[in-house]
Amino acid sequence: MNAERQEVKVKRVSSRKRSIDNLKCLLTPATKRGGGPCLQQCPQNRRVSSIMADGQEAEYCSDNEDLFGDYDSFLEDSSVLAKLDDAEQNARQHDIQPSVHSNAVVHPNPESLQPSEKDPEKKQACGNTLTDSILDALGDEPFEDVPASQLQFQEQVLQSVKRSRLQDEDKTSTPFRAAGGNSETAPEANTEGRTKKLTKARKSMAEQLKRTMLCNAASPAVLSRSVTLKEAVVSEEISVAMQAMETISTETPDLGPFFGLPSKVKDLMYTLKGIKSLYDWQETCLNLDCVQARKNLIYSLPTSGGKTLVAEILILRELLCRKKDCLFILPYISLVQEKVRGLASFGLELDFMVEEYAGSKGKFPPVKRRNKVSLYIATIEKAHSLVNSLIECGRIENLGLVVVDELHMLGDGSRGSVIEMTLAKVLYMSKTTQVIGMSATLGNIKDLQTFLRAENYTNDFRPVQLKEYVKLRDTIYEVEPKEEECFRFSRLLNFKYSSSMQKIDPDHIIALVAEVIPTHSCLVFCPTKKNCENVAVMICKYLKEEFLRHKEDKKAVLLRELKDSGNGSVCPVLRKTVPYGLAYHHSGLTSEERKLVEEAYSSGVLCLLTCTSTLAAGVNLPARRVILRSPYVATDFLKRSQYKQMVGRAGRAGIDTVGESILILQDKDRDMAKSLVSAPMENCFSNLMHNDGKGLLSLILSLIGLNITTSLEQVREFLKGTLLYVQQGHLCAQKSIWEEVQQCVDLLQDKGLITVTMDSHGQTMQVTKLGKATYKGSVDLTYSDVLYKDLSIGLDGLLLNSYLHLVYLVTPYDIISQCKPDWMTYFRQFSLLSVAEQKMSAAVGVPESFVARKAAGQTVKKSANMEVVSRMYLALVLFTLLKETNLWNVAEKFQLSRGFIQTLLSSSSAFCSCVLHFTEELEEFWPFKALLTELTRRLSYCVRAELIPLMEVVGVMESRAKQLHNAGYKTLAHLANADPAALCKTIDNLFKKQASQIVASAKMMSLCVPDARE
């Protein structure tokens, strides 16, 4: 061996050690590998960097080492190598024997026919001369099962041999041919020279194949054997679970390793959620006979009992085992986005899609996918539109499971009627779709069971014990509902108040919160938004300076993030309270401010939040102590369901051993409070008759439009499957349900939304174009004719050189009453409009003269429609926001709260989407389609155009989008391919969990387009 050659170390390559950095190998076709032509042999000096530890001397793999035993082969077996060895043996026997005879040498030992291990040069010479004979032996049996990359390699070897023959005409493939052409004798003296020449002439196929496979070991394939085996195990478990589902019986309590799911799901629950085991009630619920048999189920537990986890396991079982789509209905956009973020990682790992249907997001009908099922996570209104679109295109049977969170919201006004319509349609149109409802404890759960044809499971489990108290004057009483007095003395408040402090805080809120913060967390529920801010400031005035030093650096980071989110502005109240670890939380904050405050509270940076009742119904933010500042929400006395929802936030699972709630009472409220804490849960009633039967009206219109019913008799048949029918004795006391139906049909006919014709079979009802546009756009029936009129007038003189006219047309009608114009501000902003924009305003009914007289306080001779005037004022707010994109500046100009402006923006975005679907059904409004598509996108985010692709990723707000864009992550693809660890290092104040969720959401969105087909 050459003395200068580097010393070689032989190292066996394990499949478990292979890196995935280099995904291409030498057997990959050149076009896919992205490099030059496919090499036939590994370079001698190739460094196997992926299998070496840093700092060690160079290591190479020996050609003679058995790299192929127990290693990933390209055929999963040894067929190719076996053929190669057999052919080599035959060729050796055939080629060496003639040489033996010609030299008349007798070899008594058969092993002497093989090249000696001690004579490597002779061995190499023999091996190098076998190429043609081996190819001849292998040529009769083509590699039918070999991948294309292997066949390409074989063809290149054959071409190489042919070129060698053409170039060396005086050489043949006879192993021992003399240079002079005498093939019968070969003097031993020239053996060494001939060997060297033949070595240069050709290489052994065995050597080339092994060298190439060695290179493959250094440049590993996409999937190792261990990964393949893991996937095989998961697939097998899913297959077993599917078979078990098909042959299910009530005697089978468990369907598989993890409730009918692969063990990988259990691992993901721990990795992504930190859940090691389930509560006893969760296991019991998942093993119920009705769940195993896929019957409908309603299960009721107190707040924070872990209801959602059961639903998620059932969803995963439907997606993976039955390969059916699922719909998860949640009440608020924030909850939808939170759930999309949390389940996107599961979708990537388990190969299903997670799609968001909230605000302006969502495609109708949903994209039909070739090989993947989808989980639709939707708000109440979007879920109804989604179900309508699935019925219309005949795909409702693909929906295997519908899960409804907060099912008791069936009794919540107009939103309750939408839930009822959605579920009634699913139950009527699909006999295979399972419905699961999660609910707070209800007094009339039997009615809901009848409506959904469902079983019921109830448990009073709480992960942390809850103790309820009330405070009267300076005394704390424990709540004992079973006792006659309801309240039992517990203790006196031990806190010294000065006379001035007693005047400022007569309810002793400071004393109550000081007992738990900053070591523990506390929530203070207040009756109004303004009271939230005042209470937070009041508490800070009397806290000690040591509160300022508690987690001081992290609170400074939070203030900086709040400043970034406000484009340099921070709420003056938060600037005062955050250094003490306090903040307020209500709808007056922007969504980004709320998100930052929630995250800071969850991580312990903030120890106290003053909030309105909406927090109890939104994201889960538990606390050691919950204080109810008053038994009122605004001026209305608390309902028992609201009270239980608020106090249910007390107690943090895994942190606290007990949770406390304290209701602050005045003497006048004592008797009502006794009823509040001891009364049974409220009943839940249908809301189809709410607001003069508007829900029933909408339901009948959509039933006719979707061809579910075409006659009055069919409408009646459908209504037998509603909650209204179950409760008709209570709800239709004055007029029967069938009289209400007839009245609705007549009203729809009068509005021009349906036509009724008589034939030999009786009445036939059909939807008109306007009616179809109304239900497909989810437009309120009260405003459908107004919207049609506004769009028609707008089309005659549509202003295209400004967004103002379009913005006016998509300003929601139902939000007009929430804002009264400030006339001086109105006139000031009106004066900034161009002449064309002022003419457009006059055309819709708001002339400059009217606004000027109002601003001057003068009497207006010619009155104007105040709804149109107020709508134009809100359109000016949106128009200014679109131009400036700085919410703080706009809030200051119009003297409106930041939260209201953002609510206006999100409502307009959603309504713009509705108007777009409305116009798509009416040919005369064809120009609006392209215009409103872009406007919907602008209203959804209201940021600079380059930030919109990043803002579409769930969990990315404006300030985060700016950080990502400045760091070089400018597109969805950039985020989808990002490394979460690198993202954390690049972006300030981004935690690993947040980064992982952002990357997972981006990957999920990037998968939507290439994996879909219409």
Side-chain angles (χ1 to χ4, degrees):
M1 181 177 286
N2 192 338
E4 295 180 1
R5 180 177 293 182
Q6 186 178 358
E7 183 179 352
V8 227
K9 284 190 178 181
V10 177
K11 180 175 180 180
R12 180 172 295 279
V13 183
S14 169
S15 63
R16 294 187 300 272
K17 300 288 185 181
R18 294 184 300 167
S19 167
I20 61 171
D21 295 334
N22 237 340
L23 297 181
K24 304 302 181 184
C25 67
L26 287 181
L27 293 183
T28 305
T31 54
K32 293 186 178 181
R33 199 169 64 243
C38 182
L39 300 176
Q40 292 186 23
Q41 61 183 23
C42 179
Q44 293 293 332
N45 60 348
R46 177 165 181 163
R47 183 181 176 90
V48 193
S49 58
S50 61
I51 59 171
M52 292 171 56
D54 294 339
Q56 296 179 352
E57 64 181 87
E59 297 176 347
Y60 294 84
C61 294
S62 168
D63 285 356
N64 295 327
E65 184 186 3
D66 181 14
L67 292 174
F68 313 116
D70 295 329
Y71 192 79
D72 295 357
S73 79
F74 44 78
L75 283 182
E76 301 285 344
D77 60 39
S78 59
S79 59
V80 172
L81 295 178
K83 291 179 180 179
L84 181 62
D85 290 338
D86 291 341
E88 219 169 22
Q89 292 295 331
N90 293 336
R92 290 180 190 278
Q93 294 291 339
H94 177 273
D95 293 327
I96 294 175
Q97 283 178 3
S99 176
V100 172
H101 289 299
S102 63
N103 288 283
V105 179
V106 179
H107 297 279
N109 185 0
E111 294 180 1
S112 61
L113 292 174
Q114 304 297 329
S116 172
E117 290 290 332
K118 297 179 181 180
D119 191 357
E121 291 187 359
K122 185 174 181 182
K123 179 179 179 180
Q124 184 183 7
C126 182
N128 285 343
T129 57
L130 300 176
T131 305
D132 295 347
S133 53
I134 293 171
L135 291 174
D136 292 340
L138 294 175
D140 296 334
E141 296 181 41
F143 295 121
E144 294 178 356
D145 298 327
V146 176
S149 58
Q150 314 298 331
L151 293 174
Q152 182 183 10
F153 169 73
Q154 180 188 352
E155 291 170 2
Q156 288 175 343
V157 172
L158 289 169
Q159 291 172 3
S160 177
V161 172
K162 290 178 181 178
R163 284 197 300 269
S164 177
R165 286 173 175 172
L166 293 173
Q167 291 170 3
D168 303 313
E169 294 178 355
D170 60 329
K171 298 178 184 178
T172 70
S173 59
T174 307
F176 290 94
R177 177 175 177 176
N182 187 0
S183 61
E184 295 181 0
T185 60
E188 289 183 10
N190 295 330
T191 302
E192 185 176 345
R194 284 196 304 272
T195 302
K196 290 180 179 179
K197 290 180 181 179
L198 289 169
T199 302
K200 295 177 182 178
R202 61 183 69 84
K203 293 284 186 181
S204 165
M205 180 179 178
E207 180 188 354
Q208 293 193 42
L209 183 56
K210 286 188 177 183
R211 283 188 179 280
T212 304
M213 294 183 75
L214 173 61
C215 292
N216 290 349
S219 301
V222 176
L223 292 177
S224 66
R225 189 178 188 86
S226 59
V227 172
T228 305
L229 289 173
K230 284 181 181 178
E231 290 186 351
V233 170
V234 172
S235 299
E236 185 176 354
E237 289 178 352
I238 291 176
S239 176
V240 170
M242 289 178 69
Q243 292 175 6
M245 295 283 284
E246 292 172 0
T247 58
I248 189 65
S249 70
T250 55
E251 299 176 0
T252 310
D254 196 356
L255 302 180
F258 185 66
F259 303 102
L261 289 165
S263 54
K264 182 178 180 180
V265 175
K266 185 177 182 180
D267 297 337
L268 288 173
M269 286 289 179
Y270 177 67
T271 305
L272 301 176
K273 288 178 170 284
I275 297 173
K276 293 183 180 179
S277 59
L278 273 62
Y279 295 128
D280 290 343
W281 83 263
Q282 291 171 328
E283 294 199 10
T284 302
C285 185
L286 287 167
N287 287 322
L288 290 172
D289 291 344
C290 61
V291 174
Q292 306 270 6
R294 292 191 73 254
K295 293 182 180 178
N296 298 343
L297 173 71
I298 302 170
Y299 60 99
S300 310
L301 278 97
T303 303
S304 304
K307 298 189 291 289
T308 307
L309 181 60
V310 171
E312 289 176 0
I313 291 174
L314 292 173
I315 286 171
L316 291 174
R317 190 161 69 177
E318 195 71 21
L319 290 167
L320 301 181
C321 299
R322 299 191 72 247
K323 298 295 183 184
K324 292 286 187 178
D325 297 331
C326 296
L327 172 59
F328 198 168
I329 304 175
L330 296 162
Y332 305 111
I333 293 176
S334 59
L335 294 179
V336 169
Q337 292 174 340
E338 183 184 28
K339 193 58 63 181
V340 169
R341 283 198 303 271
L343 292 177
S345 297
F346 282 88
L348 291 173
E349 292 288 341
L350 301 171
D351 199 30
F352 62 84
M353 303 301 299
V354 178
E355 301 183 42
E356 178 186 353
Y357 280 78
S360 60
K361 290 188 176 180
K363 183 175 176 59
F364 303 106
V367 174
K368 188 175 183 181
R369 308 189 182 280
R370 291 191 189 94
N371 304 314
K372 288 188 180 181
V373 288
S374 294
L375 167 58
Y376 310 116
I377 304 179
T379 56
I380 293 169
E381 293 76 16
K382 286 289 184 177
H384 184 225
S385 299
L386 179 65
V387 167
N388 282 346
S389 67
L390 289 173
I391 292 172
E392 188 173 32
C393 65
R395 287 165 49 193
I396 191 66
E397 294 289 344
N398 293 340
L399 197 61
L401 175 65
V402 176
V403 175
V404 186
D405 193 12
E406 310 291 356
L407 184 65
H408 53 268
M409 287 186 71
L410 274 165
D412 184 19
S414 58
R415 301 196 84 201
S417 67
V418 176
I419 298 175
E420 184 175 349
M421 286 188 274
T422 304
L423 295 178
K425 288 174 183 176
V426 169
L427 292 169
Y428 187 83
M429 295 301 296
S430 175
K431 304 304 179 187
T432 60
T433 303
Q434 184 183 14
V435 176
I436 302 290
M438 297 181 281
S439 171
T441 307
L442 295 173
N444 63 338
I445 197 74
K446 290 287 185 184
D447 287 353
L448 270 64
Q449 283 184 254
T450 305
F451 163 46
L452 296 178
R453 303 188 281 278
E455 303 287 335
N456 181 41
Y457 175 80
T458 304
N459 197 304
D460 59 359
F461 170 81
R462 276 187 57 90
V464 178
Q465 181 186 0
L466 172 64
K467 291 186 177 180
E468 297 178 39
Y469 300 93
V470 297
K471 174 193 165 295
L472 273 167
R473 299 178 185 173
D474 59 352
T475 307
I476 304 292
Y477 298 90
E478 186 171 358
V479 175
E480 289 289 347
K482 295 180 181 178
E483 293 187 5
E484 185 177 351
E485 283 297 313
C486 288
F487 305 142
R488 185 178 65 192
F489 174 81
S490 177
R491 63 186 174 93
L492 290 172
L493 273 178
N494 184 22
F495 198 86
K496 295 181 180 180
Y497 267 43
S498 64
S499 57
S500 60
M501 194 172 175
Q502 183 70 35
K503 289 179 182 178
I504 293 174
D505 183 25
D507 295 325
H508 305 97
I509 295 174
I510 298 171
L512 294 173
V513 302
E515 291 178 344
V516 291
I517 64 170
T519 309
H520 300 288
S521 57
C522 182
L523 293 175
V524 181
F525 284 100
C526 303
T528 65
K529 290 186 283 188
K530 189 62 180 175
N531 192 235
C532 286
E533 299 176 32
N534 293 339
V535 169
V537 173
M538 178 195 73
I539 294 172
C540 288
K541 285 182 180 179
Y542 293 95
L543 291 179
K544 298 177 182 178
E545 287 190 4
E546 62 188 50
F547 281 84
L548 294 171
R549 295 189 290 273
H550 184 72
K551 298 188 177 181
E552 186 176 3
D553 54 340
K554 293 183 178 179
K555 287 184 284 193
V557 170
L558 174 59
L559 279 173
R560 191 162 61 247
E561 289 180 323
L562 287 168
K563 187 175 181 180
D564 292 340
S565 72
N567 291 311
S569 303
V570 181
C571 170
V573 175
L574 291 177
R575 190 186 295 116
K576 290 178 184 177
T577 61
V578 166
Y580 287 91
L582 279 66
Y584 68 90
H585 184 289
H586 59 61
S587 60
L589 293 172
T590 65
S591 58
E592 190 160 3
E593 286 173 320
R594 284 199 299 271
K595 186 169 182 284
L596 288 171
V597 167
E598 289 164 4
E599 289 175 351
Y601 177 81
S602 297
S603 62
V605 176
L606 297 176
C607 57
L608 184 145
L609 294 182
T610 58
C611 49
T612 54
S613 59
T614 53
L615 183 138
V619 293
N620 186 19
L621 295 175
R624 172 65 174 271
R625 177 175 288 179
V626 170
I627 299 171
L628 279 69
R629 169 78 175 75
S630 165
Y632 292 89
V633 174
T635 57
D636 299 326
F637 199 82
L638 277 177
K639 297 177 182 178
R640 177 160 175 79
S641 59
Q642 290 175 315
Y643 169 77
K644 296 299 288 184
Q645 203 165 39
M646 290 182 191
V647 302
R649 295 300 182 198
R652 297 167 297 173
I655 301 175
D656 299 327
T657 54
V658 67
E660 302 170 336
S661 71
I662 301 175
L663 171 62
I664 298 174
L665 295 175
Q666 307 301 323
D667 289 331
K668 64 183 180 66
D669 298 321
R670 180 168 185 152
D671 292 336
M672 292 179 69
K674 286 182 180 179
S675 301
L676 177 67
V677 299
S678 61
M681 294 299 293
E682 291 104 340
N683 292 332
C684 176
F685 293 107
S686 169
N687 273 272
L688 286 179
M689 298 305 299
H690 174 74
N691 199 1
D692 297 327
K694 189 185 292 184
L696 183 61
L697 207 62
S698 296
L699 174 60
I700 294 173
L701 176 63
S702 62
L703 291 178
I704 299 169
L706 293 169
N707 287 321
I708 297 175
T709 60
T710 57
S711 67
L712 206 57
E713 190 59 39
Q714 289 176 336
V715 172
R716 290 175 178 174
E717 189 65 29
F718 179 93
L719 288 177
K720 290 179 180 178
T722 62
L723 182 60
L724 175 64
Y725 182 82
V726 175
Q727 299 173 334
Q728 61 176 317
H730 178 79
L731 299 175
C732 302
Q734 297 180 347
K735 192 184 295 184
S736 74
I737 188 173
W738 309 124
E739 290 176 320
E740 294 283 0
V741 169
Q742 184 63 57
Q743 184 176 325
C744 287
V745 170
D746 294 340
L747 184 58
L748 289 172
Q749 193 174 6
D750 292 342
K751 280 179 168 286
L753 301 177
I754 64 169
T755 59
V756 180
T757 56
M758 295 294 296
D759 55 25
S760 57
H761 301 289
Q763 283 187 342
T764 300
M765 298 183 294
Q766 287 185 317
V767 70
T768 63
K769 288 185 177 181
L770 178 59
K772 187 175 183 181
T774 301
Y775 89 80
K776 291 200 75 172
S778 300
V779 176
D780 192 320
L781 292 179
T782 308
Y783 306 117
S784 62
D785 51 348
V786 180
L787 177 61
Y788 184 85
K789 181 181 177 182
D790 286 345
L791 290 172
S792 300
I793 295 173
L795 200 59
D796 292 337
L798 188 61
L799 182 66
L800 293 176
N801 62 353
S802 168
Y803 270 121
L804 181 60
H805 200 169
L806 285 174
V807 167
Y808 171 79
L809 291 173
V810 300
T811 301
Y813 296 100
D814 56 359
I815 205 170
I816 294 171
S817 59
Q818 299 179 28
C819 178
K820 292 183 178 180
D822 178 280
W823 295 109
M824 281 303 299
T825 303
Y826 203 158
F827 179 70
R828 193 179 302 116
Q829 296 301 319
F830 196 96
S831 301
L832 297 175
L833 298 177
S834 67
V835 175
E837 289 167 344
Q838 289 185 4
K839 285 183 178 179
M840 170 255 136
S841 178
V844 298
V846 188
E848 183 184 12
S849 57
F850 176 85
V851 180
R853 284 181 175 276
K854 279 287 188 181
Q858 298 176 1
T859 303
V860 180
K861 295 179 181 179
K862 188 177 180 180
S863 62
N865 185 332
M866 288 308 297
E867 287 191 353
V868 173
V869 173
S870 297
R871 193 178 185 212
M872 177 56 72
Y873 183 70
L874 293 178
L876 280 175
V877 176
L878 289 170
F879 180 59
T880 308
L881 187 59
L882 283 177
K883 287 194 298 183
E884 296 190 13
T885 71
N886 189 324
L887 193 145
W888 280 80
N889 290 347
V890 177
E892 188 176 349
K893 282 182 180 179
F894 288 88
Q895 294 300 300
L896 296 170
S897 73
R898 309 181 301 284
F900 174 78
I901 291 180
Q902 193 165 63
T903 301
L904 172 64
L905 184 66
S906 59
S907 298
S908 300
S909 171
F911 187 60
C912 186
S913 179
C914 292
V915 175
L916 173 60
H917 293 304
F918 181 88
T919 57
E920 285 176 340
E921 300 301 322
L922 298 166
E923 295 177 2
E924 59 267 35
F925 294 143
W926 65 266
F928 283 114
K929 182 176 181 181
L931 296 171
L932 294 179
T933 300
E934 177 57 26
L935 183 60
T936 303
R937 186 176 167 88
R938 288 290 303 276
L939 289 172
S940 296
Y941 306 106
C942 198
V943 294
R944 300 197 315 264
E946 62 267 23
L947 298 181
I948 290 178
L950 300 176
M951 293 279 288
E952 288 181 334
V953 178
V954 179
V956 176
M957 298 292 186
E958 183 179 358
S959 61
R960 185 73 75 201
K962 289 177 180 176
Q963 285 181 311
L964 291 167
H965 191 273
N966 294 336
Y969 300 95
K970 299 183 179 182
T971 65
L972 184 65
H974 290 163
L975 270 186
N977 293 315
D979 177 19
L983 212 56
C984 291
K985 295 178 182 178
T986 308
I987 306 299
D988 292 338
N989 309 317
L990 182 65
F991 300 112
K992 179 70 180 292
K993 183 179 180 181
Q994 294 171 324
S996 298
Q997 288 181 339
I998 288 173
V999 172
S1001 298
K1003 285 182 178 177
M1004 184 59 66
M1005 287 186 65
S1006 65
L1007 288 174
C1008 288
V1009 178
D1011 188 60
R1013 64 179 173 84
E1014 295 297 338

